[in-house]
């Protein structure tokens, strides 16, 4: 019996999936009810559900791919569990590698014994649990502090609280923080080099630009033709469209183009300019 | 009408209960496995494995909790940290939902919308992974394997996601966007393999510093 994909592992996975789904439904129902009380139209909330679900499909498939990539060393179930709770695509692979390295083995080894396997499971769990330890202490404090500075939240009389800084300054800073996050991923697509992902070059920039062009074009279309129903789907459509462009380009253009990156690793593991993947 | 303050307070209360329960479920996995197979790792081996992971992961956890909590709202924060994949999925999802709804992140309506978005995203992701592993494991491997026709689609999912998300934001706030992207690109020129999780802090600081200067100079209002 393969212990990595055994009945007990599947039972644990079922527990995790049920738990995570239950928690999500719980918060969904609470938020929905509160939204109704606040007078948010049901249609708007429904749109949020649908567009968020659609938006999540492609990233979820990449996460699924990570699960399957880890499967040769760890079986299907442990990576599945780890990526369903707290897990993050990038971290779990690194954590599993680090734990296997400490055991003197690697991801390429597919016959771990139960002790080695449980060491990896414990190490991944201990490594990833910390946010859940911090949140009960910090989350409320951080939100209170934020509301003090930016305003928002709700005062005793039911009106939104005023912050220390004016509302528009708060808006600008909030937008800036969001932009900061996106800028990290976008600048990596423009100039970064990755070992386990595509380095920046022709393809990353082509996909980035097509996603942007699709979004702007669809947004314009929605505005011009008053297609309010299409609005929640702009982002998922643009994303799938850009992914389609990636497939189209690799199928039609010569590899000198599609494999062109600014910099890549040479055979000594050093990063050099103007190589190919 | 109920006192509106109680909604956020209740979210925090429920969030704490769910977080502690999630911790129990999380640790149940290795614990049950070790008990069932009588396979507890030798302490020293476990320690050396854990010590390789803990310093980076716990430090990252602190920074992530402090950075993302203000952006995700109360319900969204508890939910995101339990279900994971925040930067590459939950956060973009919440941001785009907020953007389309027109509510402010700090308003209670914004809190509701981001919680709904994150919950829907979490359910979708959990189900796709579950169904994918159970039913389509082998065929997904074929779809995403290098050399498959569709492989590039998934290889470039990150630029596709952030290009689409960025476009609507940058169109509205282009003045705020130029500086952090320029800083990010410049840093990547010199530190090409910097983890994106670390880069986020660089670009957030750049974006906020840039915004403060522009507010001061009245370039943006």
């Amino acid at each position: 019996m393969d212990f990595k994909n055994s009945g007990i592992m599947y039972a644990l996975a079922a527990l995790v999936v049920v738990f995570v789904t239950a928690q999500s439904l719980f918060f969904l129902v609470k938020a929905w009810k509160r939204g109704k009380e606040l007078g948010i139209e049901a249609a708007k909330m429904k749109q949020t559900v649908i567009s968020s679900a659609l938006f999540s499909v492609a990233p979820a498939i990449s996460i699924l791919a990570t699960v399957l990539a880890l499967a040769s060393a760890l079986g299907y179930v442990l990576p599945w569990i780890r990526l369903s709770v707290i897990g993050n695509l990038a971290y779990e692979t690194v954590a599993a590698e680090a734990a296997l390295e400490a055991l003197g083995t690697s991801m390429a080894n597919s016959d771990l014994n139960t002790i080695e396997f449980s060491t990896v499971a414990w190490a991944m769990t201990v490594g990833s649990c910390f946010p859940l330890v911090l949140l009960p202490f910090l989350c409320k404090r951080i939100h209170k502090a934020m509301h003090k500075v930016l305003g928002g939240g709700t005062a005793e009389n039911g009106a939104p609280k005023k912050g220390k800084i004016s509302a528009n300054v708060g808006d600008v800073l909030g937008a800036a923080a969001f932009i900061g996050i996106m800028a990290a991923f976008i600048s990596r697509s423009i100039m970064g080099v990755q070992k386990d992902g595509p380095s920046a070059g022709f393809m990353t920039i082509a996909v980035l630009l097509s996603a942007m062009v699709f979004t702007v074009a669809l947004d314009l279309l929605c505005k011009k033709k008053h297609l309010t129903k299409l609005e929640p789907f702009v982002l998922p459509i643009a994303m799938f469209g850009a992914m389609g462009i990636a497939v189209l380009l690799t199928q039609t253009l010569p590899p000198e183009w599609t494999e062109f990156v600014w910099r890549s690793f040479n055979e000594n593991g050093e990063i050099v300019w103007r190589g190919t993947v | 009408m109920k006192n509106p303050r109680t909604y956020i307070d209740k979210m925090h209360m429920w969030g704490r209960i769910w977080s502690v329960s999630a911790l129990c479920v999380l640790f149940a996995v290795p614990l049950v496995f070790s008990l069932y197979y009588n396979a507890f790792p030798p302490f020293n081996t476990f320690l050396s494995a854990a010590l390789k992971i803990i310093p980076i992961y716990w430090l990252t956890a602190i920074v992530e909790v402090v950075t993302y909590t203000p952006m995700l709202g109360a319900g969204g924060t508890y939910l995101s940290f339990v279900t994971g994949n925040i930067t590459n999925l939950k956060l973009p999802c919440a941001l785009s939902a907020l953007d389309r709804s027109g509510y402010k992140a700090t308003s209670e309506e914004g809190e509701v919308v981001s919680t709904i978005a994150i919950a829907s995203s979490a359910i979708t992701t959990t189900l796709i992974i579950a169904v994918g592993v159970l039913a389509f494991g082998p065929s997904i491997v074929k779809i995403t394997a290098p050399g498959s026709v569709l492989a590039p689609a998934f290889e470039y999912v990150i630029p596709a996601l952030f290009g689409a998300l960025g476009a609507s934001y940058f169109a509205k706030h282009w003045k705020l966007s130029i500086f952090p992207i320029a800083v990010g690109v410049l840093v990547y020129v010199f530190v090409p393999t910097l983890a994106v999780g670390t880069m986020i802090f660089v670009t957030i600081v750049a974006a906020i510093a840039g915004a403060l200067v522009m507010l001061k100079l009245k370039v943006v209002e």
Side-chain angles (χ1 to χ4, degrees), chain A residues 34 86 91 101 118 180 263, chain B residues 39 52 57 82 108 189 203:
Chain A
R34 185 65 194 148
I86 313 185
Y91 295 172
E101 209 182 278
S118 99
R263 288 173 293 180
Chain B
K52 278 190 173 234
Y57 282 56
V82 167
E108 219 179 312
V189 168
T203 44

Side-chain angles (χ1 to χ4, degrees), chain A residues 19 39 159 185 193:
Chain A
F19 178 86
F185 286 92
V193 177

Side-chain angles (χ1 to χ4, degrees), chain A residues 48-59 232-233 236-237 239-240, chain B residues 124:
Chain A
T48 305
V49 171
I50 297 172
S51 61
S52 307
L54 269 181
F55 180 81
S56 308
V57 171
F233 303 109
I237 295 174
M239 206 170 129
F240 284 124
Chain B
T124 312

Side-chain angles (χ1 to χ4, degrees), chain B residues 12-24:
Chain B
H12 282 294
M13 182 189 74
W14 285 115
R16 285 172 178 172
I17 295 173
W18 280 102
S19 300
V20 175
S21 326
L23 270 177
C24 299

Side-chain angles (χ1 to χ4, degrees), chain A residues 6 23 34 44 56 61 86-87 89 91 101 103 118-119 122 126 136 143 153-154 156 176 178 180-181 193 215 263, chain B residues 5 16 34 37 39 41 45 52 57-58 64 69 82 84-85 91 101 106 108 121 154 164 169 188-189 192 203 207:
Chain A
S6 62
Q23 184 186 5
R34 185 65 194 148
K44 200 168 195 173
S56 308
I61 294 177
I86 313 185
L89 210 144
Y91 295 172
E101 209 182 278
L103 288 164
S118 99
T119 310
W122 278 104
V126 170
H143 277 136
T154 321
E156 308 281 334
F178 293 167
I181 291 179
V193 177
T215 311
R263 288 173 293 180
Chain B
R5 205 185 60 174
R16 285 172 178 172
S34 303
Y37 287 102
T45 322
K52 278 190 173 234
Y57 282 56
W58 287 26
E64 282 187 348
T69 300
V82 167
N85 285 294
L91 196 59
S101 75
T106 50
E108 219 179 312
S121 169
F154 294 95
Y169 252 82
Y188 270 125
V189 168
T203 44

